[in-house]
Amino acid sequence: MGLFDRIRGGDDDPRVAFFGIDGVPYSLIADHPDEFENLTALIEEGSGGAIDSIVPPESSACWPALTSGVNPGETGIYGFQDREIGSYDTYVPMRRDFQATRVWDRVQQAGRQATVMNVVTTFPPQRDVQRMVSGFLSPGVDKAAYPDDLRDYLTGMGYPIDVNAGLGKKDKGEFMENAHETLDKRQEAFRHYIEEDDWDLFFGVYMATDRVNHFLFRDYEHDGEYAEEFMDFYRKVDRYLGELRELLPDDVTMMVASDHGFTTLDYEVNCNGWLRENGWLSYEDESDYVFQLGAWLREGGDLDVDPDYAGDVDELVDPATLDIDYEDDALVAETADARDEAVGALEDASPAIVEEGDDAVTAVVLDSVDVDTHLVESDGDETTEEYHVEADLIRVEGSAYVDGDTIVALTEDARDEAVATLDGATPASLGIDRADTTELFDAVDVEDVDGASRVTIDPSEGVDLGTDMDPDRNVLEYTHSELGNIADDATAYSLIPGRFYINLEGREPRGSVPQAEYEEVRAELKAELESLEGPDGEPVASQVVTKEEAFRGDHDEIAPDLVVVPNHGFDLKSGFKGRKNPFVEYGARNGMHSFDNATLVVDDGDARINDVDLYDIAPTILELMDVDYDRSDFDGSALV
């Protein structure tokens, strides 16, 4: 019996300790009973099995549904990116966007206490529960934990909110080290507060399991390079769950569940790329990319840029040649024609070579032109104006520089690098976006002039060349990168994961589909999605669900019109940048979510596991705790 039991004077209200194992498929446990000896024992002594997730099976939507027992039409959260009502603006949903009632709120309202640790979409932490540290997407423990003593403890022990998933794309060995460190710290914190024994509901989530699955699940299923590291990690997960079970007093029922299943990833499906290829989606801009020549030279080490250079206009042009005055570092023009001539002369003169050697050049480059109009005198209705033309300059130095649409290379190495890299270049070949193999240039030509090589680039249709030398410029800039960039005549668009929206008149700000045609257009899109096949001929969709089938409630205004639940092997993406290929083979991420095969384990032999989904978990927790509730408040039902 714990300390709190003694303080409560024998209060025998039953309690629950819930442990989330994000993204763990039940088949992983069932297929390896010896590796999961603690979970297997819990299943044999209680109940356990595979359950369904929700539509869509995305953690940011799943955990709100699991912890409230209601669908996204009630929670108001459909994924990691949601759309504002009546707008093309999108946002990342947090706790303020959650519209339902969490299971721990019901526990607190019943006069009981709840400790909540590391649940997705709970930032900022609630101040009306016993203690809470928010989970994934929180900015850090200092802002994600309440009250102060919880924040101080977690900060002191180096508690991480999440695994550094970026490491999985660079070094999987280093990634796994970080995953173990994160799991260890999570366990340390869970143990500490379970042993405090002052809670009625303990609700804690291990997120590291999902992260490991994303980067190592193919290794597990296909005996890949990191198969053993995968199983080592899960042996530890099982051991840690066994340790927690040992800590629980007799009045506590232990539950373990995942929010979705997992499977091997074969192809990423870029849904907006597919919509564009098939005439459903277009963008306002005629071009898709701006390739910044100076930024490419800078990133390749061929050009150093001094953006703070304090140069003057006369470093680019001689004012005397323009027949205008030069005062206070500005060209002074008395007519609009002279003004335009001055601006044009500055643009034509850039870059101006300051010093040029055999293998290096120093040049002054025009960054921007500012024109101030000055009123010289006013006589009744007549005014006399003059124009002060000033230039902001940048100083560059290197083995190559930019001259219009041409790279001037002063060394063979700089020339060869330009030709080898830019001839046939794509966003994928440049390391910018592996899902985009659009050829950026139609031709790259070389002409030797006066000891230098002029590499002239002919951009492809939809690609513009940029000559801005600002050091903050990216090599490849996208003219469309978000939902608001779609064209007025776009028919449909997609948000992750696999959510499709009709660009509906009266609902979307620039809707193109009349209300009278909505059902017909949606049915046509649904049919095309149902028949969509991957490169291997396999159907992408296991089912295509309408919003009426999947969502209901007071907060379904932003519900997608259709949701594709993918077959195993397909991961649905929905970016707006560039011209992504509809299908791209897996890369560093080789595992993906599945709707089926989520996990539920209850330390109660009478718990029903058949025909179960996430909506059944919240009422089950309340039933186990003898907390009163209205059955109509939930989309699911208690399993005990």
Side-chain angles (χ1 to χ4, degrees):
M1 181 180 290
L3 173 63
F4 190 54
D5 289 316
R6 295 193 294 271
I7 293 175
R8 290 190 300 184
D11 186 351
D12 59 357
D13 285 336
R15 297 186 288 162
V16 167
F18 176 96
F19 301 105
I21 46 176
D22 196 294
V24 174
Y26 184 76
S27 59
L28 174 63
I29 301 165
D31 291 346
H32 302 279
D34 294 337
E35 309 287 351
F36 290 90
E37 57 180 346
N38 292 292
L39 276 173
T40 299
L42 184 59
I43 293 166
E44 291 176 347
E45 296 168 23
S47 304
I51 66 171
D52 285 337
S53 182
I54 67 162
V55 176
E58 183 77 280
S59 294
S60 59
C62 290
W63 285 108
L66 185 154
T67 56
S68 65
V70 295
N71 75 93
E74 291 284 2
T75 68
I77 297 178
Y78 295 85
F80 281 120
Q81 180 188 32
D82 276 332
R83 178 179 61 81
E84 297 279 5
I85 296 173
S87 169
Y88 290 122
D89 292 337
T90 61
Y91 61 93
V92 177
M94 294 291 192
R95 182 172 63 85
R96 66 179 177 274
D97 304 298
F98 179 80
Q99 303 297 322
T101 304
R102 305 268 195 180
V103 65
W104 51 76
D105 293 321
R106 296 178 184 274
V107 168
Q108 293 279 153
Q109 292 164 8
R112 315 275 286 280
Q113 297 282 10
T115 287
V116 182
M117 304 187 73
N118 225 67
V119 182
V120 178
T121 62
T122 58
F123 180 82
Q126 292 179 230
R127 294 174 176 262
D128 54 356
V129 297
Q130 179 184 31
R131 63 177 67 90
M132 176 183 286
V133 57
S134 304
F136 175 55
L137 296 179
S138 302
V141 172
D142 57 330
K143 296 181 179 180
Y146 178 85
D148 290 348
D149 61 343
L150 173 62
R151 183 193 65 234
D152 294 343
Y153 171 76
L154 295 179
T155 300
M157 54 95 70
Y159 181 94
I161 294 293
D162 196 11
V163 176
N164 183 354
L167 293 174
K169 299 177 182 179
K170 300 174 183 177
D171 185 326
K172 290 194 177 183
E174 188 175 351
F175 164 76
M176 286 305 297
E177 290 179 9
N178 184 256
H180 276 280
E181 291 168 1
T182 303
L183 181 65
D184 294 343
K185 291 296 184 181
R186 193 76 72 247
Q187 181 73 359
E188 181 181 344
F190 284 6
R191 285 186 63 105
H192 177 80
Y193 285 104
I194 285 173
E195 290 179 314
E196 288 281 300
D197 200 24
D198 56 357
W199 44 267
D200 295 282
L201 171 64
F202 184 95
F203 200 107
V205 176
Y206 296 101
M207 191 76 177
T209 47
D210 177 270
R211 300 295 180 251
V212 169
N213 288 356
H214 272 302
F215 288 100
L216 270 68
F217 206 81
R218 174 175 282 271
D219 294 77
Y220 156 66
E221 286 203 321
H222 295 273
D223 196 25
E225 179 181 359
Y226 290 92
E228 187 58 28
E229 285 84 350
F230 180 91
M231 290 307 303
D232 277 344
F233 178 82
Y234 271 105
R235 291 184 190 103
K236 179 183 283 188
V237 171
D238 181 74
R239 185 172 77 251
Y240 280 173
L241 288 170
E243 291 176 2
L244 296 179
R245 189 184 186 196
E246 288 296 319
L247 292 176
L248 297 177
D250 292 340
D251 66 326
V252 176
T253 300
M254 181 173 174
M255 295 181 68
V256 179
S258 62
D259 56 328
H260 51 75
F262 239 89
T263 185
T264 289
L265 169 61
D266 296 319
Y267 294 98
E268 290 183 354
V269 184
N270 295 293
C271 297
N272 284 323
W274 176 83
L275 287 171
R276 186 179 187 181
E277 279 199 3
N278 288 275
W280 291 90
L281 177 63
S282 55
Y283 295 93
E284 288 183 308
D285 292 288
E286 292 184 4
S287 65
D288 295 300
Y289 316 89
V290 178
F291 186 82
Q292 293 288 353
L293 297 172
W296 180 76
L297 290 174
R298 185 193 68 229
E299 291 295 314
D302 293 313
L303 192 67
D304 290 327
V305 178
D306 179 9
D308 300 320
Y309 178 64
D312 297 329
V313 169
D314 60 352
E315 292 192 56
L316 284 182
V317 299
D318 182 357
T321 64
L322 300 176
D323 194 25
I324 58 178
D325 293 331
Y326 180 62
E327 300 174 3
D328 299 326
D329 301 329
L331 299 173
V332 181
E334 294 182 355
T335 66
D337 287 344
R339 173 201 63 198
D340 294 342
E341 182 182 357
V343 172
L346 288 170
E347 293 174 343
D348 291 342
S350 175
I353 306 302
V354 175
E355 180 180 351
E356 185 172 359
D358 292 336
D359 57 4
V361 67
T362 301
V364 174
V365 179
L366 182 65
D367 185 31
S368 62
V369 177
D370 297 319
V371 179
D372 289 332
T373 303
H374 292 245
L375 179 65
V376 178
E377 60 180 316
S378 177
D379 181 15
D381 294 334
E382 294 186 7
T383 60
T384 302
E385 296 176 333
E386 64 181 22
Y387 307 95
H388 289 220
V389 181
E390 300 178 343
D392 289 328
L393 304 180
I394 291 176
R395 189 180 178 96
V396 298
E397 182 176 359
S399 59
Y401 63 92
V402 177
D403 184 8
D405 61 357
T406 298
I407 293 173
V408 181
L410 303 180
T411 67
E412 291 184 2
D413 286 345
R415 177 200 63 199
D416 294 345
E417 174 68 16
V419 174
T421 305
L422 300 182
D423 191 13
T426 68
S429 72
L430 295 173
I432 295 169
D433 188 341
R434 59 179 293 270
D436 193 342
T437 56
T438 301
E439 288 205 11
L440 299 172
F441 313 116
D442 285 338
V444 177
D445 298 317
V446 179
E447 181 182 8
D448 292 330
V449 180
D450 297 331
S453 297
R454 297 182 66 84
V455 183
T456 302
I457 299 164
D458 181 17
S460 301
E461 183 180 356
V463 181
D464 294 330
L465 295 180
T467 58
D468 193 332
M469 299 303 296
D470 188 323
D472 293 329
R473 287 292 193 189
N474 293 319
V475 172
L476 192 66
E477 298 175 340
Y478 298 94
T479 58
H480 52 82
S481 59
E482 53 192 29
L483 174 57
N485 298 137
I486 67 173
D488 291 354
D489 60 357
T491 305
Y493 60 89
S494 176
L495 298 177
I496 58 171
R499 292 175 287 157
F500 289 81
Y501 298 78
I502 302 300
N503 193 28
L504 185 63
E505 189 177 83
R507 184 183 70 181
E508 271 75 2
R510 292 179 278 113
S512 65
V513 178
Q515 291 278 351
E517 299 176 14
Y518 169 74
E519 292 292 350
E520 179 184 353
V521 172
R522 184 173 69 162
E524 182 183 351
L525 178 57
K526 183 173 185 288
E528 288 194 23
L529 290 169
E530 288 172 335
S531 63
L532 177 61
E533 294 181 348
D536 54 3
E538 292 296 318
V540 170
S542 67
Q543 53 181 317
V544 181
V545 184
T546 66
K547 68 178 182 179
E548 294 83 2
E549 294 169 323
F551 312 115
R552 56 203 169 277
D554 296 333
H555 309 287
D556 61 358
E557 300 96 331
I558 59 172
D561 298 300
L562 298 168
V563 180
V564 174
V565 178
N567 274 313
H568 287 199
F570 296 101
D571 191 10
L572 306 184
K573 303 295 185 184
S574 296
F576 293 94
K577 293 182 177 180
R579 280 178 263 165
K580 293 190 177 184
N581 299 331
F583 294 95
V584 178
E585 286 191 358
Y586 69 92
R589 292 174 77 257
N590 61 35
M592 56 157 288
H593 299 184
S594 67
F595 169 78
D596 60 338
N597 200 21
T599 295
L600 177 62
V601 181
V602 185
D603 195 5
D604 185 322
D606 295 326
R608 171 177 61 85
I609 301 297
N610 295 328
D611 193 24
V612 175
D613 58 31
L614 298 191
Y615 301 127
D616 299 316
I617 291 176
T620 300
I621 291 174
L622 297 177
E623 193 74 32
L624 287 168
M625 295 182 67
D626 286 345
V627 174
D628 291 336
Y629 62 93
D630 188 334
R631 296 179 189 277
S632 64
D633 288 344
F634 300 100
D635 290 333
S637 60
L639 305 177
V640 293

